[in-house]
Amino acid sequence: MPEPDEQPPPPSTPSSTTTATTTITTTAPPIYIHPRREPFEHGLLPIPKLIFTDGSQTLISIRNKLLALSSTSSYRANSEAIAESLQISNENARLVIETIASVLHNDSDPIVTVNSSDIRSVGVNVFDLMLFLYIQSYKRLLPKGHKDSAAVADVWPSTSAFDGFISALSPLQLVRSNSRRFMPSQSDEEAHQLSYLQKHLGNILSLLAESVEGDSEESLVLSMEKLEHLGFLVYFGEKGSERIPFSQNAPFFANSDPEMPAVPVPAAQVHDWLLENIVSALTRITERASAKENGPTNASDQDVPMADVSASAVNSSPSPRGPSFIEGISKSSYVRLPNDIKGSSAKVINCHESVIYILAPLKYATVYGCSDATIVLGAVGKAVRVEHCERVHVIAAAKRICIANCRECVFFLGVNQTPLLVGDNHKLQVAPYNTFYPLLEEHLNEVGIDPIINRWDAPVALGVVDPHDSLSHPAGVLDVQTESASPVDPDQFTNFLIPNWFEGQQSGSTKDNPFPLPDAYLASQERNHKNFEETKHILKDNELDESRKREVATALHVCFKDWLYASGNIRQLYCLQGE
């Protein structure tokens, strides 16, 4: 029994080896608990009716109502039941189900594997829904200000030659656009999420528990099946190792007979065990942060410092457990192919006046704080989030995308679900997907994206103020709808050519854009191609002297240069600079 001030040790697994003379007992490295980042990064919706401030009190009532409406054997609630119980629209109920599907810990769940057209009727497990609804009260960690504002003044979003004008911003928008936000470090975010779970653990367990007698806390018990749902929020594992299923690391059902149903355990016992693990994990994060401040850092233990990126920094740091980071790139091009990506997610952070290619299959991708850049995302099977970007062109093939607090950006999308617009957006445009690379179709198949379904033109705009943001907000604007996005004029639509980065590697079967173009965009492309061919023939058939040829060449050069700047395609020339 530890002393009151003593921190309980993390769980560990003893093992022993026997020799001819002695028995040596060794202890395996401790396995720590970690929050699942996905629900906190991609699973929050700014819909006021989904946010409950009274802990589990109202949610338990909603849970009981949903269980009464659901099948006893499956505990699943379809979109109609969710809409009725939460008093939201059917479209928002579908959005809830799609969002849970994108961050669910169990890839074999029906809502992960079902076709998009059937997701309403299949519905979501009620207990997963309860955990999803509970964390809607979570507030993200405040972004950090850069410690050297002058170092980033030249690269942070500002007016450039690509737009030629300044948008009229309200005072609130102006403050936000000038706040020079930078993402907290990975360790800071993990500690913040663990602290949130530590504070709310009792309420969270009450949503999964059932009462065996009376209404007192001691009467609540958790079955092995209900305990597994905690995998939505936390997991056990360590860098370089696979995540361990939740029940396999819990001591409560270790010796259960597989032929017999496991006996439920008191919720209070689970609560104490989880608290011990969370305290151990938080202590470890604090100790590692202190060690980095006071001495040399072990390279394998480095945290990713996302708050201290200078204009000249170029950092791509893969982590076996976390995402691959591409940050601080300025006025250059950058390419990541499948062999360059470790893990299943990537983050592009604070990149400016550059072209970034991530031509690999991923589960998640985040683009944060970029400006005057073109970012190409290969195939993202779960979710993309683009936040605090200005004058960025994003080309993405993804299951779903969320765009938050962006200004004057253009999104060329191949998405199976409706794009979600949240926060303080201005002058956004959307267009159909406009590129390809040799392995694109293989990557789409690998992550489960259907190129026949493209809902790029049906964006859903939610609240202009994000209640999950820790910044204070003016009263009376929580229900104000954010600005939507307008479609790119078909006459302004162009294909984006990706250089053959795969030359000498595995050849792919993709020879053209696998996402069919709408008729208006296809007709515009055909007209442009026809005009190009006619111009070629006119120049070829007309006999011009050398002086006239130079005049024509000069005029074409000037027009082409003007088009490069007006369209933003000047950014692609950075690729040539990098050769």
Side-chain angles (χ1 to χ4, degrees), residues 173-234:
Q173 296 154 6
L174 191 61
V175 167
R176 289 185 181 175
S177 67
N178 290 330
S179 62
R180 306 201 189 283
R181 290 176 162 200
F182 289 84
M183 295 178 72
S185 73
Q186 291 285 97
S187 289
D188 288 342
E189 286 188 332
E190 183 162 328
H192 185 65
Q193 291 160 8
L194 282 173
S195 297
Y196 171 85
L197 294 174
Q198 181 185 35
K199 178 180 178 181
H200 296 275
L201 187 58
N203 288 333
I204 290 171
L205 291 179
S206 70
L207 295 173
L208 303 177
E210 54 187 323
S211 178
V212 290
E213 57 177 22
D215 295 322
S216 65
E217 184 180 351
E218 289 73 24
S219 67
L220 296 177
V221 297
L222 275 168
S223 66
M224 183 167 65
E225 179 188 5
K226 301 299 192 311
L227 188 68
E228 283 289 0
H229 289 283
L230 285 174
F232 183 81
L233 298 176
V234 293

Side-chain angles (χ1 to χ4, degrees), residues 35 37 69 86 136 153 183 203 210 214 218 234 236 246 268 273 412 428 464 493 519:
R37 297 182 180 276
L69 294 172
L86 298 177
Q136 298 305 309
M183 295 178 72
N203 288 333
E210 54 187 323
E218 289 73 24
V234 293
F236 286 91
F246 197 86
W273 173 72
F412 298 88
L428 304 185
V464 71
F493 178 82
D519 292 342

Side-chain angles (χ1 to χ4, degrees), residues 21-153:
T21 56
T22 61
T23 298
I24 302 173
T25 300
T26 61
T27 302
I31 299 173
Y32 288 92
I33 196 170
H34 301 276
R36 284 188 70 242
R37 297 182 180 276
E38 295 85 359
F40 297 103
E41 293 182 1
H42 298 277
L44 303 179
L45 292 174
I47 299 176
K49 288 188 177 181
L50 301 184
I51 300 172
F52 300 92
T53 57
D54 60 350
S56 59
Q57 184 176 347
T58 302
L59 284 174
I60 287 176
S61 175
I62 293 173
R63 179 200 66 183
N64 294 339
K65 182 175 182 179
L66 286 168
L67 288 174
L69 294 172
S70 68
S71 166
T72 305
S73 59
S74 64
Y75 302 120
R76 303 194 77 84
N78 59 25
S79 62
E80 288 79 11
I82 293 173
E84 178 185 342
S85 300
L86 298 177
Q87 295 296 294
I88 58 177
S89 68
N90 285 327
E91 283 307 308
N92 280 350
R94 179 191 176 108
L95 184 58
V96 166
I97 296 175
E98 290 176 342
T99 304
I100 294 174
S102 71
V103 297
L104 200 61
H105 60 298
N106 180 11
D107 284 341
S108 63
D109 191 279
I111 63 167
V112 179
T113 58
V114 74
N115 293 329
S116 297
S117 57
D118 298 326
I119 198 167
R120 285 177 185 263
S121 56
V122 168
V124 63
N125 184 284
V126 171
F127 297 99
D128 291 330
L129 174 61
M130 289 300 103
L131 298 183
F132 167 82
L133 291 174
Y134 193 91
I135 65 168
Q136 298 305 309
S137 65
Y138 174 79
K139 289 188 179 294
R140 298 186 186 93
L141 187 61
L142 273 172
K144 295 180 177 180
H146 200 285
K147 65 182 180 182
D148 183 5
S149 297
V152 296

Side-chain angles (χ1 to χ4, degrees), residues 71 157 254 309 389:
S71 166
V309 183
C389 291

